[in-house]
Amino acid sequence: MTSAPIELQAARSQPDRAAVAKAIAELETSFGDRVVTSQAVREHHANTISWIPNQPPDAVVFPQETADVQKVAHICAKYRIPIIPYGAGTSLEAHINAPAGGVSVDFRDMNKIVSVHVEDLDCVVEPGVTRKMLNENLRDQGLFFPIDPGADASLGGMAATRASGTNAVRYGTMKDNVIALKVVLANGEVMTTSRRARKSSAGYDLTRLIVGSEGTLGIITELTLKLHGLPEAIAGGVCPFPSVEAACNATILTIQSGIPVARIELLDELQVRACNTYSKLKLPEKPVLFIEFHASEAGVAEQSERFGEIATEFGGGPFEWTTKAEDRTKLWQARHDVYWAANALRPGAQALTTDVCVPISRLAECVTETQRDVNESKLIGPIVGHIGDGNFHVSLRLDMDNKREVEAAERFLERLTERALSMEGTCTGEHGVGQGKIKYLPIEHGTEAMAVMAAIKRAMDPQGIMNPGKIF
Amino acid sequence: MTSAPIELQAARSQPDRAAVAKAIAELETSFGDRVVTSQAVREHHANTISWIPNQPPDAVVFPQETADVQKVAHICAKYRIPIIPYGAGTSLEAHINAPAGGVSVDFRDMNKIVSVHVEDLDCVVEPGVTRKMLNENLRDQGLFFPIDPGADASLGGMAATRASGTNAVRYGTMKDNVIALKVVLANGEVMTTSRRARKSSAGYDLTRLIVGSEGTLGIITELTLKLHGLPEAIAGGVCPFPSVEAACNATILTIQSGIPVARIELLDELQVRACNTYSKLKLPEKPVLFIEFHASEAGVAEQSERFGEIATEFGGGPFEWTTKAEDRTKLWQARHDVYWAANALRPGAQALTTDVCVPISRLAECVTETQRDVNESKLIGPIVGHIGDGNFHVSLRLDMDNKREVEAAERFLERLTERALSMEGTCTGEHGVGQGKIKYLPIEHGTEAMAVMAAIKRAMDPQGIMNPGKIF
C-alpha cells in the first residue's frame, strides 16, 4: 500500500460547471423548493465560526427521509460532484466547507426521535436531532444521553466527527455511545452497520469506521444510541489549585482510586478571570477544577469527600460542593459559556479554538509549556481542559487585521501540535480533522496507516465525491 | 458496491504445493528451528475445541519480534500463501484453522509486557501475553485489565476476535479497552493504528477496524490497553429467581437505576444443577444470578442492598452477598468452571458452545424459547448468560456418533441464530465469526454492509492471504 498516493485526486479538483448545473436541475425536479441556491443560504452552509475561509456549496438540499438522501447521492454520483452533510454547523475545523463545490445536505428536517427503548437504554434518532432536543425528550423517562460537546450540535454531526466533551471521562465519546448507524454510501445504496444488540463480534466494526469519518465514507441518516439512567443524585463543585500540575496530579489520583468522576474540567488562570467577569463568579484566580459526581445520595457525598481529601494532598482546596441543582447549574452554565467569556476578553476579535490530547501523565507539562508559549507569542489564549482524558483547548482571540499576530498564531498552532505529538498525543482529541488539521495527520499516523485510510476511502468512494477535501 | 462478489476468491482456493515448499524453505533459512512442520504441532495449531474439523497449516513459525512477523508476511505474500495468527488456541469458532493451508504464526515467544504506565492507566504488551499473566503482573501496582472471557486467552487473540466476557457490563469489551495496535499488513509493512492518548478524532478509527477483524486484515504484534485501578472493595453473591424472566427484569431495573454492577451472570436451572454437582455448591435449582460489585466499602454495601431490594420486587432472593475474598473466589471459580460442569453432565460428549446476543428487553423471551427448543430437540444444553449485555451461551454436549443428534443440533443452531436475528440481535456477541458463523453474516448485515466489508478486505489484502476462510 506504500505506493498508493495519499492525496485523493477528486478531493481537490473543481467539478465541471455544466455538470453542476445539470445536477441542480435534477435536484430541483425531485425536491422543488427544498433545493436552495441563494448566496446567503449557501454561505450559511459553509464554515462560519473559525478563521478557515467560507467555501460555500453550489446548492443546499433539505431531505426528509433516507430515500431523499439516496436520491441526492445518486444524482451527485451521476455528475461526479461533491456531497457534503450538514448538521448544526457547529464544527470548528470547517467540516462543512465545500472547497470543490457540490451539494450540502442539511438535516434540519430529519429531526425525529424514531423510538426510545427504555428497557434497553437505547434510542433511534434521525441525524438532525440535537443533543439538547434529545435530552429534553428523554427527561420524563428518567434517561439521558451523556455526550456534551458544549455546542447544541446535531447527533449526526457528533457521530461524524467523533465528538466527546465534558462527560467523556465517565461515559466515553461518540465511539462508545453509538450502537448502529444507517448510512447512505457513495453509490446511493443504504447500509446498516450493526444490529441493536449491545455488543457483537459479527464481522468488521463498520459502526466505528463511520464514527469519525467526517462524511468522507458515507452519510449518516439514522443513529441508534446508548442511553443512561438519570443519576439519583448529582454533586458538583469547584476546587482551586496552586498550579496546573497540582490539579493534574489530583485528577490522576482520583481516577486511579476508582472514584467514578462524571466531569472534571480544568480552567487556567486566564479562563477563570474571564469567567469571573462574564459569568459573575468570584473564583480565586488560580487553576481550578470544575467537578461533578453522579451516583446515589450517599455515593456522591462519599465521592465528594474523597476527592476533597485528594485535593488537599496536592495543596488544593477548599473543595466546595453541593447537590443543589440551582448552584450546580450556575457553575456549569459558566463552564459552557467559556467561549463567550473568552470573547469578552477581547471584544470583536476572531475566535480560534483548537484542541489536542495527550496521555494524562504528560498533561501538566503540555499545558504549562503551552501557557508559556501563548505568553511568549504575545497572544491571548485561555485554556480549558477535559482533564480526565488528557484533552485541552486553547481558545485564541485574534485581531485578523494584525498580520504579525496572525502569523504568530499560525506558528503557535504548529508548535502546539508538535508538542502534543512529541508526548504520544494526538493533533485533535475531539474537534476532528476537517480542513484545519489535514497537514498534521501524516505526521501523527505515519505513511502506512495513512495508506490504509486512503485505501479504504478509495474502496468506499472511488469517485471521491463524499465530502472531499476533509481528512485527506 | 452491490455488484462486487462477497466471497473472496483466494479465501477458498488451495495454494500451489510447490509454492508452499519454497516458502517453508525460505522460512527455515530465516527462522531455523523456529519453523515446525511436524504433523502433531501443525494439528495442535488448528481447531481442537469445537466440532469444526481440524484443518492444520503447512508450517508453524514462532516469531520473537514484529520484524519476524514482517519477514513471514513478506514470504507469504511472495508465494501467495495464507498466514494465520495463533494466540492461545482457545477460539470456539475455529479462527485458527487453515482451510487453505499456509503458515500459522504462534505468538508464544512474543509474551513481554513492554511497559506499564501507572498514571495513564495503560500498558503496552505483546500479543502472546495472556490476560492472567497480565493481571498477575499488574496486581502489585494496584491495577487490573478487566476483560475476562473465561479462558486464559492471549490478548492478541482477544483483540482479534473482539472478546468480552463477564465484566463487559461494567468495563466494556475489547473494542472499548484497546487504545492502539501495531499491525503487520498483508504487504509486510507495519502500521500503528493510534497514539497513546486516551481519545482522538484524528482520522479513521483503524484500531476498531482491526479489533474483531480476526486476522483477516492484518496481524497484531503489539497492543496498548486501558487498565483500571483495583477496586477498594468487591462484593459478590448469588440470587435465585422464580424464572428467567424475573431474573432478566431485575437486571434491567438494576442497570436502569444506575447501579454500576460489575458482573451479572445468569445460570439456568440445568447449569445450576451441573455446578452444584461439579463445584460442590448447594444452590437452589432455579435460574440464579451471580453478581459482583466494585466500589468503596460503603459503595458495595449500598449497591448490594439496593440490588437485593430489586430482586425481592421480582420474587427473587434471598440475595446473599459477601466481601470475603475466599467466599467470592469459590463462587466465581464455579462460574468459570461451567464448561467443565457441563462436561460432567455427559462425560465423553463433544462440547459445542455457541453464543448470541439480543437487546436485553428480548432476552427473557429468547432464553426461554431456546430452553424449550433444547428440550424439544432432545438435546443437553445448559445456558449461561452475560445478562447485562443481553448475551448468552448454549453449551451443547453431543454424542457425535449419533447422527440424529448431530442433525438435531445443526437445526437447533440455525433456529437459535434466526431467533436472535428476529429480535434485532446478532449471531455472535463475543465468540466471533471464524468458520462457524460465516453463513449467518449476510443475513445479519445485509448485502450492502457485506459489500463494504468485502471492499475493505480487498483493499487491505488484495491477494486474500490474511487468515482466509474466516468471516467471508
Side-chain angles (χ1 to χ4, degrees):
Chain A
M1 250 160 294
T2 37
S3 60
I6 288 169
E7 290 211 2
L8 295 153
Q9 272 299 320
R12 309 283 171 167
S13 58
Q14 287 295 325
D16 175 4
R17 299 312 308 166
V20 171
K22 282 186 206 161
I24 291 176
E26 276 196 37
L27 288 168
E28 283 169 343
T29 305
S30 287
F31 294 101
D33 62 5
R34 289 192 284 117
V35 183
V36 181
T37 55
S38 76
Q39 175 104 355
V41 170
R42 291 192 295 112
E43 281 179 5
H44 172 74
H45 283 78
N47 183 56
T48 56
I49 60 171
S50 79
W51 71 349
I52 298 170
N54 181 287
Q55 298 172 314
D58 294 301
V60 181
V61 180
F62 297 86
Q64 294 180 320
E65 55 182 14
T66 296
D68 287 347
V69 180
Q70 289 186 271
K71 262 186 215 161
V72 178
H74 279 301
I75 293 169
C76 287
K78 180 175 168 187
Y79 294 103
R80 291 183 154 239
I81 65 171
I83 177 166
I84 304 118
Y86 181 95
T90 54
S91 141
L92 292 164
E93 296 292 355
H95 295 88
I96 51 177
N97 256 349
V103 180
S104 173
V105 178
D106 183 333
F107 285 100
R108 178 195 69 187
D109 299 339
M110 285 181 68
N111 65 353
K112 281 184 286 300
I113 295 168
V114 179
S115 51
V116 177
H117 305 105
V118 177
E119 292 190 323
D120 297 318
L121 292 176
D122 70 44
C123 66
V124 179
V125 301
E126 291 185 330
V129 174
T130 70
R131 64 175 187 86
K132 285 187 186 170
M133 282 168 62
L134 178 60
N135 278 326
E136 276 160 28
N137 187 286
L138 293 173
R139 196 176 301 135
D140 289 348
Q141 297 173 80
L143 301 174
F144 80 114
F145 180 71
I147 312 299
D148 173 5
D152 189 22
S154 73
L155 292 160
M158 286 168 63
T161 56
R162 204 181 296 127
S164 52
T166 54
N167 280 314
V169 63
R170 167 75 173 266
Y171 298 97
T173 76
M174 284 304 280
K175 96 174 150 50
D176 307 301
N177 286 281
V178 177
I179 295 172
L181 296 168
K182 192 179 278 188
V183 180
V184 172
L185 299 166
N187 60 5
E189 300 291 325
V190 183
M191 77 167 174
T192 304
T193 59
S194 184
R195 295 295 184 112
R196 201 162 62 77
R198 207 69 174 172
K199 69 182 190 189
S200 172
S201 299
Y204 301 160
D205 190 344
L206 298 181
T207 307
R208 251 87 12 216
L209 181 65
I210 297 297
V211 171
S213 66
E214 305 188 0
T216 64
L217 299 178
I219 298 182
I220 298 165
T221 62
E222 193 176 275
L223 305 92
T224 304
L225 300 172
K226 281 188 193 170
L227 301 175
H228 297 262
L230 278 171
E232 182 189 312
I234 300 178
V238 179
C239 187
F241 283 86
S243 65
V244 166
E245 194 185 355
C248 288
N249 287 336
T251 303
I252 289 170
L253 187 54
T254 300
I255 294 171
Q256 272 180 342
S257 307
I259 302 173
V261 61
R263 290 170 156 169
I264 188 156
E265 299 280 304
L266 172 73
L267 279 67
D268 78 349
E269 300 89 318
L270 181 58
Q271 185 66 60
V272 170
R273 195 183 317 150
C275 289
N276 278 344
T277 308
Y278 182 84
S279 301
K280 307 198 179 2
L281 302 177
K282 286 175 186 164
L283 301 174
E285 285 187 13
K286 292 178 175 183
V288 304
L289 294 181
F290 281 34
I291 300 127
E292 194 169 277
F293 300 102
H294 297 173
S296 64
E297 287 287 349
V300 297
E302 187 193 21
Q303 290 164 24
S304 301
E305 295 299 339
R306 289 178 66 200
F307 172 78
E309 289 161 19
I310 289 171
T312 307
E313 271 187 57
F314 293 98
F319 174 49
E320 289 169 359
W321 59 277
T322 174
T323 56
K324 279 188 200 153
E326 194 185 338
D327 299 343
R328 282 189 297 103
T329 303
K330 188 177 176 194
L331 197 63
W332 288 100
Q333 190 58 48
R335 168 63 190 86
H336 274 131
D337 288 345
V338 293
Y339 181 88
W340 308 109
N343 279 354
L345 283 175
R346 194 177 191 188
Q350 169 72 51
L352 193 164
T353 298
T354 193
D355 90 304
V356 294
C357 185
V358 296
I360 194 169
S361 63
R362 307 300 297 273
L363 184 63
E365 186 186 351
C366 196
V367 170
T368 306
E369 282 185 22
T370 301
Q371 287 179 315
R372 191 182 308 129
D373 194 353
V374 168
N375 291 333
E376 287 175 5
S377 305
K378 302 196 194 323
L379 295 167
I380 296 175
I383 287 177
V384 176
H386 308 312
I387 185 173
D389 305 317
N391 182 206
F392 70 95
H393 305 270
V394 186
S395 199
L396 299 178
R397 289 300 179 276
L398 299 172
D399 173 2
M400 294 300 284
D401 295 329
N402 182 335
K403 203 176 155 204
R404 182 215 64 79
E405 194 174 313
V406 171
E407 283 171 6
E410 282 170 355
R411 287 194 301 272
F412 165 79
L413 291 178
E414 303 269 344
R415 286 192 300 275
L416 173 62
T417 306
E418 279 163 24
R419 188 176 301 126
L421 292 178
S422 75
M423 295 179 179
E424 298 184 76
T426 173
C427 69
T428 173
E430 58 181 26
H431 290 178
V433 181
Q435 293 182 314
K437 297 211 162 164
I438 289 177
K439 64 181 166 185
Y440 303 120
L441 223 55
I443 308 168
E444 174 162 343
H445 291 297
T447 313
E448 275 308 317
M450 288 308 298
V452 168
M453 289 189 206
I456 292 169
K457 167 73 174 170
R458 276 192 302 271
M460 291 182 66
D461 178 24
Q463 297 196 103
I465 60 171
M466 307 304 281
N467 207 8
K470 318 298 155 57
I471 299 185
F472 301 99
Chain B
M1 251 159 291
T2 38
S3 60
I6 288 169
E7 290 211 2
L8 295 155
Q9 272 300 319
R12 310 282 172 169
S13 57
Q14 287 295 326
D16 176 5
R17 300 311 308 166
V20 170
K22 283 186 205 159
I24 291 175
E26 277 196 35
L27 288 168
E28 283 170 343
T29 306
S30 288
F31 294 102
D33 61 5
R34 288 193 284 116
V35 183
V36 181
T37 55
S38 76
Q39 175 105 354
V41 170
R42 291 192 295 112
E43 281 180 6
H44 172 74
H45 283 77
N47 184 55
T48 56
I49 61 171
S50 79
W51 70 349
I52 298 170
N54 180 286
Q55 298 173 313
D58 293 302
V60 181
V61 180
F62 297 86
Q64 294 180 321
E65 55 181 12
T66 296
D68 287 347
V69 180
Q70 288 187 270
K71 263 187 216 162
V72 177
H74 280 300
I75 293 169
C76 287
K78 180 174 166 188
Y79 294 104
R80 292 184 153 238
I81 65 171
I83 177 165
I84 304 117
Y86 181 96
T90 54
S91 140
L92 292 164
E93 296 293 355
H95 295 87
I96 52 177
N97 256 349
V103 179
S104 174
V105 178
D106 183 332
F107 285 101
R108 180 195 67 187
D109 298 339
M110 285 182 68
N111 64 352
K112 281 185 285 301
I113 295 168
V114 179
S115 51
V116 177
H117 305 105
V118 176
E119 292 190 324
D120 297 318
L121 292 176
D122 71 44
C123 66
V124 179
V125 301
E126 290 185 330
V129 174
T130 70
R131 63 175 187 87
K132 285 187 187 170
M133 282 169 61
L134 179 60
N135 279 326
E136 275 160 30
N137 188 286
L138 293 172
R139 195 176 301 135
D140 289 348
Q141 298 174 79
L143 301 175
F144 79 114
F145 180 72
I147 312 299
D148 173 5
D152 189 22
S154 74
L155 292 160
M158 286 168 63
T161 56
R162 204 182 294 128
S164 51
T166 54
N167 279 314
V169 64
R170 167 76 173 266
Y171 298 97
T173 76
M174 284 304 280
K175 96 174 149 48
D176 307 302
N177 286 281
V178 177
I179 294 172
L181 295 169
K182 192 179 278 187
V183 179
V184 172
L185 299 166
N187 60 6
E189 301 291 325
V190 182
M191 78 166 173
T192 304
T193 59
S194 185
R195 295 297 185 111
R196 201 162 61 78
R198 208 69 175 172
K199 69 183 190 188
S200 172
S201 300
Y204 301 161
D205 190 344
L206 298 180
T207 308
R208 250 86 15 215
L209 181 65
I210 297 297
V211 170
S213 67
E214 305 187 359
T216 64
L217 299 178
I219 298 183
I220 298 165
T221 63
E222 193 176 276
L223 305 93
T224 304
L225 300 172
K226 282 189 193 170
L227 301 175
H228 297 263
L230 279 170
E232 181 187 313
I234 299 178
V238 179
C239 187
F241 283 86
S243 65
V244 166
E245 193 184 355
C248 287
N249 286 335
T251 302
I252 289 170
L253 188 54
T254 300
I255 294 171
Q256 272 180 342
S257 307
I259 302 173
V261 61
R263 290 171 156 169
I264 188 157
E265 299 280 304
L266 173 73
L267 279 66
D268 79 349
E269 301 90 317
L270 181 58
Q271 185 65 60
V272 170
R273 196 183 315 152
C275 290
N276 278 344
T277 307
Y278 183 84
S279 301
K280 306 199 179 3
L281 301 178
K282 286 174 187 167
L283 301 175
E285 286 187 14
K286 291 177 174 184
V288 304
L289 293 181
F290 280 34
I291 300 128
E292 193 169 277
F293 300 102
H294 297 173
S296 64
E297 288 286 349
V300 297
E302 188 192 20
Q303 291 164 23
S304 301
E305 294 298 338
R306 289 178 66 200
F307 172 78
E309 288 161 20
I310 289 171
T312 306
E313 271 188 57
F314 293 97
F319 174 49
E320 290 169 358
W321 60 276
T322 174
T323 55
K324 280 188 200 153
E326 194 186 338
D327 299 343
R328 282 190 295 103
T329 303
K330 188 177 176 195
L331 198 62
W332 288 100
Q333 190 57 49
R335 168 62 190 84
H336 273 132
D337 287 346
V338 292
Y339 181 89
W340 308 109
N343 279 354
L345 282 175
R346 194 178 190 188
Q350 169 71 52
L352 194 163
T353 298
T354 192
D355 90 303
V356 294
C357 185
V358 295
I360 193 170
S361 64
R362 307 300 296 274
L363 184 63
E365 186 186 352
C366 196
V367 170
T368 306
E369 282 185 23
T370 301
Q371 287 179 314
R372 190 182 307 129
D373 194 353
V374 168
N375 292 332
E376 288 175 5
S377 305
K378 302 197 193 325
L379 294 167
I380 295 175
I383 287 177
V384 175
H386 308 313
I387 185 173
D389 305 318
N391 182 205
F392 70 95
H393 305 270
V394 186
S395 200
L396 298 178
R397 289 300 179 275
L398 299 172
D399 173 1
M400 295 300 284
D401 296 329
N402 182 336
K403 204 176 156 205
R404 182 215 65 78
E405 195 174 313
V406 171
E407 283 171 7
E410 282 170 355
R411 286 194 301 272
F412 166 79
L413 291 178
E414 302 269 343
R415 285 191 301 273
L416 173 62
T417 306
E418 279 163 25
R419 188 176 302 126
L421 293 177
S422 75
M423 295 178 180
E424 298 184 75
T426 173
C427 70
T428 174
E430 58 181 26
H431 290 178
V433 180
Q435 295 182 313
K437 297 210 162 164
I438 289 177
K439 64 181 167 185
Y440 303 120
L441 223 56
I443 308 168
E444 174 162 343
H445 291 298
T447 313
E448 275 309 316
M450 287 308 298
V452 168
M453 290 189 205
I456 292 168
K457 167 72 175 170
R458 277 191 303 271
M460 291 181 66
D461 178 23
Q463 297 196 104
I465 60 171
M466 307 303 281
N467 207 8
K470 317 299 155 55
I471 298 184
F472 302 99

